[in-house]
Amino acid sequence: MLSMSTNNSSYNDQGGADSAVEIGQETTPTSNSGAGFGLFSTDFKKNDDLKEMLENNKESLKLEAMKRIVGLIAKGKNASELFPAVVKNVASKNIELKKLVYVYLVRYAEEQQDLALLSISTFQRALKDPNQLIRASALRVLSSIRVPIIIPIMMLAIKEAASDMSPYVRKTSAHAIQKLYSLDPDQKEHLIEVIEKLLKDKSTLVAGSVVMAFEEVCPERIDLIHKNYRKLCNLLVDVEEWGQVVIISMLTRYARTQFTSPWREDGVFDENSERAFYESDEEKTRDDTEIKPYTMDPDHRLLLRNTKPLLQSRNTAVVMSVAQLYWHLAPRNEVSIVTKSLVRLLRSHREVQYIVLQNIATMSIQRKGMFEPYMKSFYVRSTDATHIKSLKLEILTNLANEANISTILREFQTYVKSQDKQFAAGTIQAIGRCATNISEVTDTCLNGLVLLLSNRDETVVAESVVVIKKLLQAQPSQHSDIIKHMAKLLDNITVSMARASILWLIGEYCERVPKIAPDVLRKMAKSFTSEEDIVKLQTVNLAAKLYLTNSKQTKLLTQYILNLGKYDQNYDIRDRTRFIRQLIVPNEKSGALSKYARRILLAPKPAPVLESAYKDRDRYQLGTLSHTINTKASGYLELSDWPAVAPDQSVRNVEVIEPVKEWAPSLGKTGKSKPAKSSDDKFYSDSGEEEEDEKGSGTSSSNDGSSSSSAGLSLCLCVPPPGPVCVSGPAFVPEKSHNLLHRMTGKGLAAQYQFTRQPCLYQPNMVSVQISLTNTSDHRLEQIHIGERSPAGLKIHCFNTIGESHCFSTLDDTKEDQFSVSIQPAVGDLFLAVTMTEQDFRKEQGKLQGMNECSATITVTAENTSSQPLNRRVAAMANVGVVPSGQDNVHRFAGKTACSGAVLLVTVELRESSAAVITINTEKSVMGSMLLRDLKKSLAQA
């Protein structure tokens, strides 16, 4: 336990009245509160109550206090004054209480740095705790304390956690790498060493986290990925969804640097191209001069093949990641396999639709054929939000071609009538793009837009004018009637952009409408002072062009408009007016520029190109934030171009190393090692059906000046092949340890053992046992090892002899003491937890009927009738996994024996009056009967 008694005075000095008020107001009012109804009362004793609860000996009161405090934090209240009282409980043995304390410390450790540092030693001790959850939580909190002074401690903790036996702890160490790097970037080189070590980890639990750390700390170190590339590709399917997204993104960048482009236009794509066996020399010479067909690198194909199944993922981000990988890496004829999966995502929430549609919009510009069969999926619905409608409209426009344009235009006719004015305006722009891109429908679209000029909605009319103006620039000679029609509508159109567009058209093609243009100028002269600035500028331009082409009719009007513009309040209009006057009206000061006035003002202008807003977005990697906002975001890593020549592929070859036969101690010196036991050595047997394997690593701890010292021996467990029965991590790890050797019997050497239910490093049929050795004598001990005698019924993987160290020292005499010990596992510890679906469970259960089934009816306690306590009881009794069940009263569990891999199925069916039927199906009938006996005791007891 962490003692804080010497610091109580400093604790009580922290905080102030303001925080006490806030804490007091949020807690439950007491019955003797003085204020009426307690609505505006300020009870300063509330804070003291929480402190008293935290200092109480009852765990339940402490837990209740921490729940209330964390609730205050969740509401945004200041609970920093309680830091001294909370930190005293950091060494509590109650895991739930400890977790809440950790949550509190992460929140306030940076503000209360001096007090937080007092708990560092507790976290350091917790890093050695037998429980993997405690070790991981301690590391998580330690790495969350943003205090530079503990950086060396954090670095040491991360390095040790990276070698931890538990993959969960190693995963936490990968997360801590990123936190330490953000606190002190100077630690980069040391952190890269840890990343390199964790990248070699074969656990799917660690893979995603370490790749994320790699992306944050050293994304440029592609060389670290070479040896781990194939392993990451093969593990990808089993990694959690968040890790899949991170790994796929990293592998996309990696592939663009290591493989040649599969998009070669000058060669023939032939992945499995082989020469004829009896090829003549003449043919060989001729082929060498021709273009060689493209052959995909096997590692390139491995990545594409292993990511393809993830298109069926339920996670949107995973599907999107695979889609962008295929877009950037796959041959053009294979990219279309992602289409159906992307379309499926359009059934998701609005936020998901927005991102997916953005990426489809970019993809549909280059490859229309991918999404054309699913065109109806992009039809706009009345319930769609405006931004979703705009994206669907964009995609439909991109997909338009001669074959489907009539269908798309019919859809657009409906969209133009929408009450959403922004969407209606976007539809008109889309019609203009279709008219530009498909010449067969240009006249049809133009006529339809002209009809919209009589629409009552000003927004529709204005947008139609703007689009018609752009279309007429391409073929002005053929559409003089449309220009006349638009001139007549000028009096009724009030939107400034539309009025300015009409004036520009009339001025640009004034020679084609010689009778209408002067009259339009006359009307604009009357309303010049009340027009918007953009309309005034186009009026001045119109006057100048008419002065040059029809000076006889418009000279006086032009002078009048120029005089009005000369004194306008807007300086742009004043400047434009002065420039035009000097340009078109020759005088002594105008110089030689006036002779070029006609060529300047009436020069032919190129027609505007109506393009998609998503045309250039493919410069950013699909699915990234930069692609979404169309600008380079912080931290964005650009995809490199394909290399002209593929780098050496041998860098990804991994040497096959034989497994180490013995596990050397991680600390301390090693004495002579005993040879490994033969497979016939026996230690413990249970009816000859299950065998337990033991192997260890000597681990010593510091003596700190006391006469007692200890060492832990971590022993391993197994993992069989995949299939409908897939091995998973343990759902519950028992904390209880058992005496192996008493200190009196062992002459000062005490030993305890515990079944950790952790994976094995040596063989897939071994059970992991952790042995803790303690030297309680004043003498030094050495040469601790398993004796020569063959135990009955057990194969053992011997650990190295624990030699002389600061913990285990030599006895004064040289005689050897031998002690007979016996490890007796509970039957539940001889199983491996597995995951399977309910359908697979029923299928396997159907194979294990009759003599392979045993059952019993019991009366369970009230606390075991709910799902969570029942699952916890069963998982504590046996290392089994929980199988999802569609029935509330039926709970299913699955496991397999470590030695033979025989399937074990447990069914607990709850009935009325607290009755329960336990059914166990397994080929190992003796083990099933023993487990049934243990479950009956566990579920029936109080």
Side-chain angles (χ1 to χ4, degrees), residues 867-915:
S867 175
Q868 188 172 0
L870 178 62
N871 293 347
R872 186 164 56 246
R873 283 275 188 181
V874 176
M877 187 57 56
N879 187 15
V880 292
V882 180
V883 177
S885 175
Q887 301 166 275
D888 294 336
N889 66 321
V890 179
H891 304 270
R892 297 181 173 90
F893 309 87
K896 65 189 305 182
T897 59
C899 181
S900 62
V903 177
L904 171 82
L905 306 177
V906 180
T907 306
V908 181
E909 181 181 357
L910 299 176
R911 297 181 178 178
E912 297 179 356
S913 303
S914 300

Side-chain angles (χ1 to χ4, degrees), residues 750-767:
Q752 290 186 322
Y753 70 91
Q754 175 186 359
F755 290 88
T756 63
R757 299 182 178 178
Q758 297 300 326
C760 172
L761 300 178
Y762 300 99
Q763 295 182 15
N765 61 346
M766 289 185 173
V767 174

Side-chain angles (χ1 to χ4, degrees), residues 237 304-313 322 326:
V237 176
L304 295 176
R305 183 173 60 249
N306 285 13
T307 52
K308 184 178 178 180
L310 297 180
L311 288 171
Q312 307 301 322
S313 174
V322 178
Y326 265 77

Side-chain angles (χ1 to χ4, degrees), residues 434-452:
C434 290
T436 302
N437 299 333
I438 306 173
S439 58
E440 288 82 354
V441 296
T442 301
D443 293 340
T444 304
C445 294
L446 195 53
N447 293 332
L449 292 173
V450 171
L451 293 176
L452 291 177

Side-chain angles (χ1 to χ4, degrees), residues 566-578:
K566 181 178 180 181
Y567 300 102
D568 195 88
Q569 294 182 351
N570 187 286
Y571 60 84
D572 283 336
I573 298 174
R574 296 197 301 270
D575 290 346
R576 177 73 61 86
T577 302
R578 294 189 183 99

Side-chain angles (χ1 to χ4, degrees), residues 836-847 849 883 885-887 890 892 905:
M836 64 171 63
T837 63
E838 184 176 3
Q839 181 181 1
D840 291 334
F841 184 95
R842 294 178 183 274
K843 183 178 179 181
E844 294 293 330
Q845 192 177 40
K847 302 176 183 178
Q849 301 292 333
V883 177
S885 175
Q887 301 166 275
V890 179
R892 297 181 173 90
L905 306 177

Side-chain angles (χ1 to χ4, degrees), residues 694-707:
E694 174 181 333
K695 47 235 166 266
S697 167
T699 306
S700 58
S701 60
S702 61
N703 198 340
D704 67 23
S706 66
S707 61

Side-chain angles (χ1 to χ4, degrees), residues 273-433:
S273 119
E274 297 179 358
R275 291 189 180 274
F277 185 75
Y278 296 104
E279 183 179 37
S280 66
D281 293 339
E282 182 181 352
E283 290 175 344
K284 182 175 181 179
T285 305
R286 184 176 68 251
D287 289 346
D288 289 340
T289 61
E290 297 176 354
I291 299 173
K292 294 183 179 180
Y294 170 79
T295 302
M296 180 174 284
D297 189 297
D299 287 329
H300 191 171
R301 174 55 61 191
L302 175 68
L303 177 58
L304 295 176
R305 183 173 60 249
N306 285 13
T307 52
K308 184 178 178 180
L310 297 180
L311 288 171
Q312 307 301 322
S313 174
R314 63 181 179 179
N315 188 289
T316 304
V318 174
V319 177
M320 192 64 246
S321 296
V322 178
Q324 66 84 24
L325 181 141
Y326 265 77
W327 178 260
H328 294 296
L329 301 181
R332 300 188 188 279
N333 60 337
E334 297 182 22
V335 179
S336 58
I337 67 171
V338 307
T339 307
K340 191 173 183 179
S341 299
L342 289 176
V343 172
R344 172 173 60 88
L345 298 182
L346 298 181
R347 305 170 188 166
S348 303
H349 300 293
R350 182 179 298 177
E351 295 78 10
V352 173
Q353 291 183 43
Y354 178 70
I355 299 298
V356 174
L357 287 171
Q358 272 199 331
N359 288 274
I360 292 177
T362 301
M363 300 166 80
S364 61
I365 293 176
Q366 296 186 18
R367 301 178 189 175
K368 297 182 180 182
M370 284 179 58
F371 298 97
E372 189 177 354
Y374 302 92
M375 192 171 65
K376 290 185 179 180
S377 300
F378 305 108
Y379 285 175
V380 174
R381 300 177 180 178
S382 58
T383 56
D384 288 338
T386 300
H387 60 280
I388 300 296
K389 292 178 180 178
S390 300
L391 284 169
K392 288 185 174 180
L393 185 66
E394 172 71 26
I395 295 170
L396 286 174
T397 308
N398 293 340
L399 298 180
N401 54 36
E402 293 83 353
N404 59 27
I405 186 60
S406 58
T407 304
I408 291 178
L409 287 180
R410 281 197 299 271
E411 276 291 306
F412 287 174
Q413 288 177 4
T414 305
Y415 300 163
V416 169
K417 302 174 185 177
S418 173
Q419 297 298 319
D420 188 339
K421 304 307 176 187
Q422 181 181 349
F423 174 57
T427 303
I428 295 172
Q429 295 177 11
I431 293 173
R433 282 179 54 195

